[in-house]
Amino acid sequence: MFIVRKSAKDPTIIDSFNIGHSYELGEPTVPAVWEQLRHFMEENGPTLPPGETFAPSLRPQTLLQSLSALGPFGSNYVLWWKDATGQMILGHLLFPVTIPFFLLWGMLNWLSYKTSIRVDWPREIREAIGTA
């Protein structure tokens, strides 16, 4: 979490924000993320390290895609068994209890995509941030 102070001399906190999800950021990844941010902010470095690309952001087109994106039974099912066997065993044992939660979560996720509104940023903001 980043905490924004009023100035270098005034420690009054005026804002805070997260850079990434705590599941993804840990001891091996935080130093690399911090260095990339520092390089970008202090040295006008590239938005991504050389050779890396942004992960695709795919919108689920069907309710089934939303359900599989949020639950343990989606397209990464085999990978989850390989990387998180204990969690998968627990997930299967607790399936009768957790299925209503995953169904509700998946339906609300799908509904949020279906009812979302595209943001049309003002020209001044688009010019200020530059091209993608």
Side-chain angles (χ1 to χ4, degrees):
M1 174 173 279
F2 276 74
I3 296 176
V4 182
R5 297 191 310 183
K6 196 165 192 171
S7 70
K9 300 207 185 306
D10 185 351
T12 305
I13 296 172
I14 58 171
D15 201 359
S16 66
F17 57 94
N18 290 325
I19 291 297
H21 196 280
S22 61
Y23 288 156
E24 297 168 353
L25 296 175
E27 191 173 338
T29 54
V30 168
V33 171
W34 175 253
E35 179 56 22
Q36 178 64 30
L37 289 170
R38 187 205 60 76
H39 182 68
F40 178 76
M41 298 297 285
E42 293 178 1
E43 302 171 15
N44 286 333
T47 54
L48 290 175
E52 290 192 19
T53 59
F54 286 107
S57 178
L58 304 174
R59 294 172 58 102
Q61 300 300 313
T62 66
L63 176 59
L64 185 59
Q65 287 176 346
S66 281
L67 291 170
S68 66
L70 297 169
F73 303 105
S75 59
N76 292 327
Y77 184 76
V78 174
L79 182 64
W80 284 40
W81 269 108
K82 179 182 168 197
D83 292 342
T85 306
Q87 290 175 345
M88 288 299 282
I89 291 170
L90 186 62
H92 281 77
L93 291 173
L94 296 175
F95 185 72
V97 176
T98 60
I99 188 65
F101 171 73
F102 281 119
L103 286 174
L104 180 63
W105 191 12
M107 286 190 287
L108 291 175
N109 179 27
W110 180 71
L111 185 62
S112 72
Y113 278 108
K114 290 299 178 188
T115 59
S116 65
I117 299 170
R118 180 170 169 75
V119 176
D120 186 24
W121 294 102
R123 181 181 50 81
E124 299 82 22
I125 293 176
R126 290 193 311 268
E127 288 173 357
I129 62 173
T131 59

